[in-house]
Amino acid sequence: MLSFSSRGQAYFHDNYFAMFVAKLSGLVVILAVPSILKVLIMTGKSAEPVTAFKRYLDTILHMLQWYNGNMVDTKSSLHKSMMEVRGKHCAASKSAESSQFGPISQQDMALTQFGFMGFALIQAEYLGIQGTEEDVEGFLHVWRTVGHFMGIKDRYNLCHLSDNLTESKKCCNIIRDKMFKPLMENPHEDFPSMCTALLLGIKAFVPSNDPEGFLLFTKFLCGIDVNIAKLDVYGRMRHHS
């Protein structure tokens, strides 16, 4: 019998492509959060397609580690990966604080957590993600664990109620509607260039990705009315399925 974490990891692998689409949209909406955007601009590692490619390749490689192996084995590569990323977050937080931006907040960490699991949870049917309720609970358990290791307190951890899907979905829907939707409708002045750098950098992984179309697709996931004809290929395919 699979453990909670193993079931969640298997759920990711069973829905590999759709999960990546959900997470890419998640990365896009994270950029719309002004406080997070400022820190990313400060680091100077996400403003150009080449640097964005390197940064997000590193992110993807770490994330893939979290979907493989034993999450409770402190000697595993998975555990070492989580500790490495936590160290980077702590360093970025200290740099932000010394630059008068203030440390990375629990709210920003929770919003970042949404970027990795939120759309996969609340837009699963539209994205074509399939699995049982137990699979989804396992998926949330993975991100509850990752969130804990990253330093998110339980009260801010979106997956803390991983055994209560109704509450977890309710929480993520509120964040989408009250936070990300208005931010995507009226983005910060630095958002377009940073978003374009991200999506152009991702073309190295997905050459067919259309930055403008994918941005519209992400807005659609946020509940914003968009011109369906301009969605990227995946978005149009899902819309008509």
Side-chain angles (χ1 to χ4, degrees):
M1 183 176 180
L2 292 176
S3 66
F4 250 162
S5 57
S6 295
R7 185 180 289 276
Q9 291 169 331
Y11 180 58
F12 167 79
H13 289 290
D14 288 344
N15 295 279
Y16 203 84
F17 181 74
M19 284 286 188
F20 263 108
V21 171
K23 293 175 192 300
L24 180 54
S25 284
L27 289 175
V28 170
V29 297
I30 290 170
L31 290 176
V33 182
S35 52
I36 295 176
L37 183 61
K38 289 178 181 178
V39 173
L40 291 174
I41 292 174
M42 178 198 69
T43 64
K45 296 180 179 180
S46 307
E48 300 293 336
V50 173
T51 55
F53 165 76
K54 292 179 180 179
R55 180 186 183 91
Y56 294 112
L57 174 61
D58 184 63
T59 299
I60 289 170
L61 292 176
H62 277 294
M63 182 193 71
L64 289 175
Q65 292 260 35
W66 306 339
Y67 282 119
N68 293 280
N70 190 333
M71 299 200 78
V72 298
D73 181 2
T74 57
K75 296 182 179 180
S76 68
S77 58
L78 183 158
H79 190 273
K80 292 177 182 177
S81 170
M82 290 194 293
M83 292 298 96
E84 181 181 340
V85 173
R86 176 168 180 163
K88 291 180 179 179
H89 285 182
C90 290
S93 183
K94 290 179 180 178
S95 295
E97 189 170 14
S98 63
S99 299
Q100 309 303 314
F101 291 144
I104 297 175
S105 68
Q106 286 287 308
Q107 174 178 290
D108 286 347
M109 293 176 70
L111 294 177
T112 300
Q113 185 182 39
F114 177 101
F116 285 93
M117 46 65 61
F119 286 130
L121 177 64
I122 62 177
Q123 293 281 22
E125 182 176 358
Y126 178 76
L127 290 166
I129 296 173
Q130 299 182 3
T132 66
E133 184 172 303
E134 289 76 16
D135 292 332
V136 181
E137 289 176 349
F139 175 72
L140 293 184
H141 179 75
V142 169
W143 285 102
R144 175 174 62 181
T145 304
V146 172
H148 173 76
F149 273 102
M150 294 303 143
I152 302 178
K153 297 178 181 178
D154 285 348
R155 63 180 295 190
Y156 295 101
N157 193 323
L158 302 181
C159 303
H160 182 57
L161 298 174
S162 61
D163 58 345
N164 190 328
L165 293 184
T166 300
E167 287 301 313
S168 295
K169 288 181 179 179
K170 180 180 178 181
C171 182
C172 285
N173 273 309
I174 290 173
I175 289 175
R176 181 194 63 177
D177 296 340
K178 301 298 183 181
M179 290 290 295
F180 289 124
K181 182 178 180 180
L183 287 172
M184 292 294 288
E185 288 177 320
N186 298 287
H188 187 276
E189 61 182 1
D190 292 320
F191 171 79
S193 61
M194 292 289 283
C195 180
T196 298
L198 162 63
L199 295 176
L200 286 177
I202 291 297
K203 284 181 73 69
F205 301 104
V206 189
S208 62
N209 179 47
D210 169 33
E212 180 183 1
F214 196 85
L215 176 58
L216 288 174
F217 172 72
T218 300
K219 289 183 176 181
F220 182 78
L221 292 183
C222 289
I224 300 171
D225 290 332
V226 300
N227 184 342
I228 300 299
K230 292 186 177 181
L231 290 178
D232 73 330
V233 174
Y234 183 77
R236 292 197 301 273
M237 178 179 69
R238 293 309 309 160
H239 187 77
H240 293 293
S241 63

mmCIF file of all heavy atoms in Angstrom, residues 136-175:
data_model
loop_
_atom_site.group_PDB
_atom_site.id
_atom_site.type_symbol
_atom_site.label_atom_id
_atom_site.label_comp_id
_atom_site.label_asym_id
_atom_site.label_seq_id
_atom_site.Cartn_x
_atom_site.Cartn_y
_atom_site.Cartn_z
ATOM 1 N N VAL A 136 -5.299 12.970 -4.628
ATOM 2 C CA VAL A 136 -5.218 14.416 -4.404
ATOM 3 C C VAL A 136 -4.755 14.705 -2.981
ATOM 4 O O VAL A 136 -3.942 15.606 -2.747
ATOM 5 C CB VAL A 136 -6.580 15.091 -4.675
ATOM 6 C CG1 VAL A 136 -6.469 16.600 -4.465
ATOM 7 C CG2 VAL A 136 -7.051 14.799 -6.094
ATOM 8 N N GLU A 137 -5.258 13.941 -2.030
ATOM 9 C CA GLU A 137 -4.822 14.112 -0.645
ATOM 10 C C GLU A 137 -3.320 13.840 -0.522
ATOM 11 O O GLU A 137 -2.609 14.534 0.212
ATOM 12 C CB GLU A 137 -5.612 13.182 0.275
ATOM 13 C CG GLU A 137 -7.069 13.593 0.456
ATOM 14 C CD GLU A 137 -7.858 12.598 1.290
ATOM 15 O OE1 GLU A 137 -7.330 11.494 1.557
ATOM 16 O OE2 GLU A 137 -9.002 12.916 1.665
ATOM 17 N N GLY A 138 -2.847 12.834 -1.249
ATOM 18 C CA GLY A 138 -1.420 12.537 -1.244
ATOM 19 C C GLY A 138 -0.614 13.671 -1.862
ATOM 20 O O GLY A 138 0.468 14.030 -1.373
ATOM 21 N N PHE A 139 -1.135 14.243 -2.933
ATOM 22 C CA PHE A 139 -0.497 15.382 -3.599
ATOM 23 C C PHE A 139 -0.372 16.564 -2.635
ATOM 24 O O PHE A 139 0.689 17.200 -2.529
ATOM 25 C CB PHE A 139 -1.336 15.764 -4.817
ATOM 26 C CG PHE A 139 -0.879 16.996 -5.553
ATOM 27 C CD1 PHE A 139 0.280 16.981 -6.314
ATOM 28 C CD2 PHE A 139 -1.624 18.163 -5.504
ATOM 29 C CE1 PHE A 139 0.696 18.116 -7.009
ATOM 30 C CE2 PHE A 139 -1.225 19.299 -6.192
ATOM 31 C CZ PHE A 139 -0.054 19.275 -6.946
ATOM 32 N N LEU A 140 -1.445 16.837 -1.907
ATOM 33 C CA LEU A 140 -1.409 17.930 -0.937
ATOM 34 C C LEU A 140 -0.458 17.613 0.216
ATOM 35 O O LEU A 140 0.190 18.514 0.758
ATOM 36 C CB LEU A 140 -2.815 18.204 -0.394
ATOM 37 C CG LEU A 140 -3.832 18.766 -1.392
ATOM 38 C CD1 LEU A 140 -5.154 19.069 -0.685
ATOM 39 C CD2 LEU A 140 -3.307 20.016 -2.074
ATOM 40 N N HIS A 141 -0.381 16.342 0.568
ATOM 41 C CA HIS A 141 0.547 15.950 1.629
ATOM 42 C C HIS A 141 1.988 16.248 1.225
ATOM 43 O O HIS A 141 2.792 16.712 2.050
ATOM 44 C CB HIS A 141 0.390 14.462 1.948
ATOM 45 C CG HIS A 141 1.327 13.968 3.005
ATOM 46 N ND1 HIS A 141 1.158 14.255 4.347
ATOM 47 C CD2 HIS A 141 2.469 13.227 2.914
ATOM 48 C CE1 HIS A 141 2.149 13.704 5.039
ATOM 49 N NE2 HIS A 141 2.954 13.079 4.197
ATOM 50 N N VAL A 142 2.308 15.987 -0.038
ATOM 51 C CA VAL A 142 3.654 16.300 -0.537
ATOM 52 C C VAL A 142 3.946 17.783 -0.347
ATOM 53 O O VAL A 142 4.999 18.170 0.173
ATOM 54 C CB VAL A 142 3.792 15.916 -2.029
ATOM 55 C CG1 VAL A 142 5.090 16.486 -2.611
ATOM 56 C CG2 VAL A 142 3.767 14.402 -2.198
ATOM 57 N N TRP A 143 2.985 18.625 -0.733
ATOM 58 C CA TRP A 143 3.225 20.070 -0.663
ATOM 59 C C TRP A 143 3.085 20.628 0.748
ATOM 60 O O TRP A 143 3.656 21.672 1.063
ATOM 61 C CB TRP A 143 2.325 20.797 -1.662
ATOM 62 C CG TRP A 143 2.885 20.588 -3.028
ATOM 63 C CD1 TRP A 143 2.449 19.724 -3.987
ATOM 64 C CD2 TRP A 143 4.069 21.189 -3.546
ATOM 65 N NE1 TRP A 143 3.281 19.755 -5.074
ATOM 66 C CE2 TRP A 143 4.283 20.643 -4.834
ATOM 67 C CE3 TRP A 143 4.964 22.134 -3.056
ATOM 68 C CZ2 TRP A 143 5.363 21.020 -5.631
ATOM 69 C CZ3 TRP A 143 6.039 22.512 -3.843
ATOM 70 C CH2 TRP A 143 6.230 21.960 -5.111
ATOM 71 N N ARG A 144 2.354 19.931 1.598
ATOM 72 C CA ARG A 144 2.354 20.313 3.017
ATOM 73 C C ARG A 144 3.747 20.086 3.591
ATOM 74 O O ARG A 144 4.279 20.937 4.321
ATOM 75 C CB ARG A 144 1.333 19.483 3.795
ATOM 76 C CG ARG A 144 1.385 19.749 5.309
ATOM 77 C CD ARG A 144 0.276 19.041 6.061
ATOM 78 N NE ARG A 144 0.348 17.593 5.951
ATOM 79 C CZ ARG A 144 -0.526 16.760 6.518
ATOM 80 N NH1 ARG A 144 -1.554 17.249 7.194
ATOM 81 N NH2 ARG A 144 -0.396 15.460 6.383
ATOM 82 N N THR A 145 4.350 18.954 3.226
ATOM 83 C CA THR A 145 5.691 18.628 3.714
ATOM 84 C C THR A 145 6.729 19.599 3.168
ATOM 85 O O THR A 145 7.567 20.120 3.911
ATOM 86 C CB THR A 145 6.065 17.187 3.315
ATOM 87 O OG1 THR A 145 5.074 16.280 3.815
ATOM 88 C CG2 THR A 145 7.424 16.810 3.875
ATOM 89 N N VAL A 146 6.670 19.854 1.860
ATOM 90 C CA VAL A 146 7.612 20.794 1.253
ATOM 91 C C VAL A 146 7.448 22.177 1.882
ATOM 92 O O VAL A 146 8.431 22.843 2.230
ATOM 93 C CB VAL A 146 7.401 20.876 -0.275
ATOM 94 C CG1 VAL A 146 8.254 21.995 -0.873
ATOM 95 C CG2 VAL A 146 7.746 19.548 -0.937
ATOM 96 N N GLY A 147 6.201 22.605 2.036
ATOM 97 C CA GLY A 147 5.946 23.909 2.640
ATOM 98 C C GLY A 147 6.517 24.010 4.044
ATOM 99 O O GLY A 147 7.099 25.029 4.429
ATOM 100 N N HIS A 148 6.362 22.937 4.806
ATOM 101 C CA HIS A 148 6.902 22.908 6.170
ATOM 102 C C HIS A 148 8.420 23.058 6.147
ATOM 103 O O HIS A 148 8.993 23.850 6.911
ATOM 104 C CB HIS A 148 6.505 21.601 6.853
ATOM 105 C CG HIS A 148 7.136 21.399 8.197
ATOM 106 N ND1 HIS A 148 6.705 22.068 9.331
ATOM 107 C CD2 HIS A 148 8.182 20.615 8.591
ATOM 108 C CE1 HIS A 148 7.457 21.699 10.366
ATOM 109 N NE2 HIS A 148 8.355 20.829 9.944
ATOM 110 N N PHE A 149 9.079 22.316 5.267
ATOM 111 C CA PHE A 149 10.536 22.384 5.185
ATOM 112 C C PHE A 149 11.013 23.752 4.702
ATOM 113 O O PHE A 149 12.112 24.193 5.048
ATOM 114 C CB PHE A 149 11.068 21.287 4.263
ATOM 115 C CG PHE A 149 11.306 19.980 4.959
ATOM 116 C CD1 PHE A 149 10.400 18.938 4.835
ATOM 117 C CD2 PHE A 149 12.426 19.792 5.751
ATOM 118 C CE1 PHE A 149 10.608 17.728 5.483
ATOM 119 C CE2 PHE A 149 12.647 18.590 6.405
ATOM 120 C CZ PHE A 149 11.732 17.550 6.272
ATOM 121 N N MET A 150 10.193 24.433 3.911
ATOM 122 C CA MET A 150 10.570 25.760 3.425
ATOM 123 C C MET A 150 10.359 26.843 4.483
ATOM 124 O O MET A 150 10.724 27.992 4.284
ATOM 125 C CB MET A 150 9.766 26.116 2.167
ATOM 126 C CG MET A 150 10.066 25.245 0.973
ATOM 127 S SD MET A 150 11.804 25.254 0.511
ATOM 128 C CE MET A 150 12.007 23.550 0.012
ATOM 129 N N GLY A 151 9.734 26.459 5.588
ATOM 130 C CA GLY A 151 9.557 27.409 6.673
ATOM 131 C C GLY A 151 8.181 28.029 6.770
ATOM 132 O O GLY A 151 7.986 29.006 7.507
ATOM 133 N N ILE A 152 7.202 27.473 6.048
ATOM 134 C CA ILE A 152 5.840 27.996 6.139
ATOM 135 C C ILE A 152 5.187 27.468 7.418
ATOM 136 O O ILE A 152 5.132 26.251 7.635
ATOM 137 C CB ILE A 152 4.991 27.573 4.921
ATOM 138 C CG1 ILE A 152 5.636 28.052 3.618
ATOM 139 C CG2 ILE A 152 3.578 28.140 5.036
ATOM 140 C CD1 ILE A 152 4.881 27.627 2.367
ATOM 141 N N LYS A 153 4.713 28.365 8.240
ATOM 142 C CA LYS A 153 4.037 27.955 9.462
ATOM 143 C C LYS A 153 2.699 27.302 9.117
ATOM 144 O O LYS A 153 2.086 27.615 8.100
ATOM 145 C CB LYS A 153 3.820 29.171 10.365
ATOM 146 C CG LYS A 153 5.117 29.827 10.827
ATOM 147 C CD LYS A 153 4.843 31.057 11.675
ATOM 148 C CE LYS A 153 6.146 31.719 12.116
ATOM 149 N NZ LYS A 153 5.903 32.951 12.908
ATOM 150 N N ASP A 154 2.252 26.412 9.995
ATOM 151 C CA ASP A 154 1.032 25.651 9.715
ATOM 152 C C ASP A 154 -0.159 26.546 9.393
ATOM 153 O O ASP A 154 -0.962 26.230 8.510
ATOM 154 C CB ASP A 154 0.684 24.750 10.906
ATOM 155 C CG ASP A 154 1.597 23.529 10.994
ATOM 156 O OD1 ASP A 154 2.331 23.276 10.019
ATOM 157 O OD2 ASP A 154 1.573 22.848 12.036
ATOM 158 N N ARG A 155 -0.281 27.665 10.064
ATOM 159 C CA ARG A 155 -1.449 28.526 9.859
ATOM 160 C C ARG A 155 -1.456 29.153 8.465
ATOM 161 O O ARG A 155 -2.504 29.599 7.989
ATOM 162 C CB ARG A 155 -1.507 29.623 10.919
ATOM 163 C CG ARG A 155 -0.347 30.584 10.908
ATOM 164 C CD ARG A 155 -0.470 31.637 11.997
ATOM 165 N NE ARG A 155 -1.618 32.500 11.788
ATOM 166 C CZ ARG A 155 -1.844 33.613 12.473
ATOM 167 N NH1 ARG A 155 -0.998 33.968 13.440
ATOM 168 N NH2 ARG A 155 -2.888 34.357 12.227
ATOM 169 N N TYR A 156 -0.291 29.187 7.808
ATOM 170 C CA TYR A 156 -0.198 29.746 6.457
ATOM 171 C C TYR A 156 -0.028 28.662 5.390
ATOM 172 O O TYR A 156 -0.107 28.960 4.195
ATOM 173 C CB TYR A 156 0.985 30.714 6.357
ATOM 174 C CG TYR A 156 0.838 31.945 7.217
ATOM 175 C CD1 TYR A 156 1.499 32.048 8.440
ATOM 176 C CD2 TYR A 156 0.030 33.006 6.821
ATOM 177 C CE1 TYR A 156 1.369 33.169 9.238
ATOM 178 C CE2 TYR A 156 -0.113 34.139 7.612
ATOM 179 C CZ TYR A 156 0.560 34.211 8.821
ATOM 180 O OH TYR A 156 0.424 35.326 9.615
ATOM 181 N N ASN A 157 0.217 27.443 5.813
ATOM 182 C CA ASN A 157 0.455 26.347 4.873
ATOM 183 C C ASN A 157 -0.865 25.953 4.209
ATOM 184 O O ASN A 157 -1.774 25.457 4.868
ATOM 185 C CB ASN A 157 1.061 25.152 5.616
ATOM 186 C CG ASN A 157 1.622 24.097 4.681
ATOM 187 O OD1 ASN A 157 1.057 23.828 3.623
ATOM 188 N ND2 ASN A 157 2.734 23.495 5.077
ATOM 189 N N LEU A 158 -0.961 26.179 2.899
ATOM 190 C CA LEU A 158 -2.210 25.931 2.178
ATOM 191 C C LEU A 158 -2.609 24.467 2.180
ATOM 192 O O LEU A 158 -3.769 24.141 1.934
ATOM 193 C CB LEU A 158 -2.085 26.416 0.730
ATOM 194 C CG LEU A 158 -1.737 27.886 0.528
ATOM 195 C CD1 LEU A 158 -1.685 28.214 -0.960
ATOM 196 C CD2 LEU A 158 -2.745 28.782 1.232
ATOM 197 N N CYS A 159 -1.652 23.594 2.445
ATOM 198 C CA CYS A 159 -1.924 22.159 2.410
ATOM 199 C C CYS A 159 -1.978 21.554 3.810
ATOM 200 O O CYS A 159 -1.944 20.328 3.958
ATOM 201 C CB CYS A 159 -0.868 21.448 1.573
ATOM 202 S SG CYS A 159 -0.744 22.075 -0.112
ATOM 203 N N HIS A 160 -2.051 22.397 4.816
ATOM 204 C CA HIS A 160 -2.088 21.897 6.190
ATOM 205 C C HIS A 160 -3.304 21.007 6.410
ATOM 206 O O HIS A 160 -3.268 20.062 7.197
ATOM 207 C CB HIS A 160 -2.108 23.070 7.175
ATOM 208 C CG HIS A 160 -2.109 22.655 8.615
ATOM 209 N ND1 HIS A 160 -1.128 21.846 9.152
ATOM 210 C CD2 HIS A 160 -2.980 22.920 9.631
ATOM 211 C CE1 HIS A 160 -1.386 21.633 10.430
ATOM 212 N NE2 HIS A 160 -2.501 22.266 10.752
ATOM 213 N N LEU A 161 -4.390 21.308 5.700
ATOM 214 C CA LEU A 161 -5.605 20.494 5.811
ATOM 215 C C LEU A 161 -5.671 19.514 4.643
ATOM 216 O O LEU A 161 -6.671 19.426 3.943
ATOM 217 C CB LEU A 161 -6.844 21.394 5.815
ATOM 218 C CG LEU A 161 -6.948 22.380 6.980
ATOM 219 C CD1 LEU A 161 -8.138 23.314 6.779
ATOM 220 C CD2 LEU A 161 -7.098 21.628 8.300
ATOM 221 N N SER A 162 -4.578 18.784 4.419
ATOM 222 C CA SER A 162 -4.509 17.901 3.254
ATOM 223 C C SER A 162 -5.529 16.770 3.311
ATOM 224 O O SER A 162 -5.821 16.140 2.297
ATOM 225 C CB SER A 162 -3.097 17.314 3.113
ATOM 226 O OG SER A 162 -2.736 16.551 4.250
ATOM 227 N N ASP A 163 -6.084 16.501 4.498
ATOM 228 C CA ASP A 163 -7.104 15.464 4.606
ATOM 229 C C ASP A 163 -8.509 16.051 4.507
ATOM 230 O O ASP A 163 -9.498 15.359 4.730
ATOM 231 C CB ASP A 163 -6.945 14.687 5.919
ATOM 232 C CG ASP A 163 -7.040 15.591 7.150
ATOM 233 O OD1 ASP A 163 -6.936 16.825 6.983
ATOM 234 O OD2 ASP A 163 -7.204 15.061 8.260
ATOM 235 N N ASN A 164 -8.599 17.341 4.191
ATOM 236 C CA ASN A 164 -9.893 17.999 4.033
ATOM 237 C C ASN A 164 -9.877 18.763 2.713
ATOM 238 O O ASN A 164 -9.555 19.947 2.666
ATOM 239 C CB ASN A 164 -10.161 18.941 5.208
ATOM 240 C CG ASN A 164 -11.599 19.466 5.218
ATOM 241 O OD1 ASN A 164 -12.203 19.644 4.158
ATOM 242 N ND2 ASN A 164 -12.130 19.719 6.400
ATOM 243 N N LEU A 165 -10.200 18.060 1.630
ATOM 244 C CA LEU A 165 -10.093 18.656 0.301
ATOM 245 C C LEU A 165 -11.016 19.850 0.125
ATOM 246 O O LEU A 165 -10.664 20.817 -0.553
ATOM 247 C CB LEU A 165 -10.400 17.603 -0.767
ATOM 248 C CG LEU A 165 -9.392 16.459 -0.911
ATOM 249 C CD1 LEU A 165 -9.785 15.559 -2.070
ATOM 250 C CD2 LEU A 165 -7.999 17.006 -1.121
ATOM 251 N N THR A 166 -12.185 19.785 0.734
ATOM 252 C CA THR A 166 -13.140 20.885 0.591
ATOM 253 C C THR A 166 -12.556 22.187 1.115
ATOM 254 O O THR A 166 -12.632 23.232 0.454
ATOM 255 C CB THR A 166 -14.450 20.569 1.339
ATOM 256 O OG1 THR A 166 -15.033 19.382 0.795
ATOM 257 C CG2 THR A 166 -15.440 21.720 1.197
ATOM 258 N N GLU A 167 -11.947 22.139 2.292
ATOM 259 C CA GLU A 167 -11.363 23.338 2.886
ATOM 260 C C GLU A 167 -10.140 23.810 2.107
ATOM 261 O O GLU A 167 -9.927 25.009 1.925
ATOM 262 C CB GLU A 167 -10.991 23.077 4.345
ATOM 263 C CG GLU A 167 -12.179 22.993 5.282
ATOM 264 C CD GLU A 167 -13.011 24.269 5.279
ATOM 265 O OE1 GLU A 167 -12.417 25.361 5.382
ATOM 266 O OE2 GLU A 167 -14.244 24.171 5.157
ATOM 267 N N SER A 168 -9.326 22.860 1.650
ATOM 268 C CA SER A 168 -8.132 23.222 0.889
ATOM 269 C C SER A 168 -8.514 23.903 -0.423
ATOM 270 O O SER A 168 -7.923 24.917 -0.815
ATOM 271 C CB SER A 168 -7.282 21.978 0.605
ATOM 272 O OG SER A 168 -6.769 21.432 1.805
ATOM 273 N N LYS A 169 -9.511 23.353 -1.108
ATOM 274 C CA LYS A 169 -9.970 23.959 -2.359
ATOM 275 C C LYS A 169 -10.590 25.327 -2.108
ATOM 276 O O LYS A 169 -10.377 26.269 -2.883
ATOM 277 C CB LYS A 169 -10.981 23.035 -3.043
ATOM 278 C CG LYS A 169 -10.369 21.784 -3.645
ATOM 279 C CD LYS A 169 -11.432 20.936 -4.330
ATOM 280 C CE LYS A 169 -10.817 19.691 -4.954
ATOM 281 N NZ LYS A 169 -11.845 18.843 -5.612
ATOM 282 N N LYS A 170 -11.347 25.433 -1.031
ATOM 283 C CA LYS A 170 -11.975 26.708 -0.690
ATOM 284 C C LYS A 170 -10.913 27.779 -0.472
ATOM 285 O O LYS A 170 -11.028 28.910 -0.973
ATOM 286 C CB LYS A 170 -12.829 26.548 0.571
ATOM 287 C CG LYS A 170 -13.523 27.827 1.015
ATOM 288 C CD LYS A 170 -14.351 27.579 2.274
ATOM 289 C CE LYS A 170 -15.024 28.859 2.754
ATOM 290 N NZ LYS A 170 -15.824 28.614 3.996
ATOM 291 N N CYS A 171 -9.869 27.425 0.241
ATOM 292 C CA CYS A 171 -8.785 28.358 0.530
ATOM 293 C C CYS A 171 -8.091 28.799 -0.761
ATOM 294 O O CYS A 171 -7.850 29.989 -0.979
ATOM 295 C CB CYS A 171 -7.784 27.700 1.476
ATOM 296 S SG CYS A 171 -6.412 28.762 1.970
ATOM 297 N N CYS A 172 -7.798 27.839 -1.631
ATOM 298 C CA CYS A 172 -7.101 28.163 -2.881
ATOM 299 C C CYS A 172 -7.985 28.975 -3.825
ATOM 300 O O CYS A 172 -7.493 29.852 -4.544
ATOM 301 C CB CYS A 172 -6.625 26.881 -3.561
ATOM 302 S SG CYS A 172 -5.179 26.140 -2.770
ATOM 303 N N ASN A 173 -9.270 28.702 -3.829
ATOM 304 C CA ASN A 173 -10.186 29.490 -4.663
ATOM 305 C C ASN A 173 -10.255 30.938 -4.184
ATOM 306 O O ASN A 173 -10.317 31.870 -4.997
ATOM 307 C CB ASN A 173 -11.585 28.872 -4.651
ATOM 308 C CG ASN A 173 -11.752 27.795 -5.711
ATOM 309 O OD1 ASN A 173 -11.450 28.009 -6.884
ATOM 310 N ND2 ASN A 173 -12.225 26.629 -5.304
ATOM 311 N N ILE A 174 -10.231 31.131 -2.882
ATOM 312 C CA ILE A 174 -10.244 32.488 -2.331
ATOM 313 C C ILE A 174 -8.979 33.235 -2.746
ATOM 314 O O ILE A 174 -9.027 34.407 -3.147
ATOM 315 C CB ILE A 174 -10.367 32.449 -0.792
ATOM 316 C CG1 ILE A 174 -11.766 31.971 -0.388
ATOM 317 C CG2 ILE A 174 -10.083 33.831 -0.192
ATOM 318 C CD1 ILE A 174 -11.929 31.744 1.103
ATOM 319 N N ILE A 175 -7.842 32.564 -2.665
ATOM 320 C CA ILE A 175 -6.574 33.192 -3.048
ATOM 321 C C ILE A 175 -6.590 33.559 -4.528
ATOM 322 O O ILE A 175 -6.165 34.653 -4.917
ATOM 323 C CB ILE A 175 -5.395 32.253 -2.735
ATOM 324 C CG1 ILE A 175 -5.204 32.159 -1.220
ATOM 325 C CG2 ILE A 175 -4.106 32.743 -3.401
ATOM 326 C CD1 ILE A 175 -4.157 31.164 -0.795
#
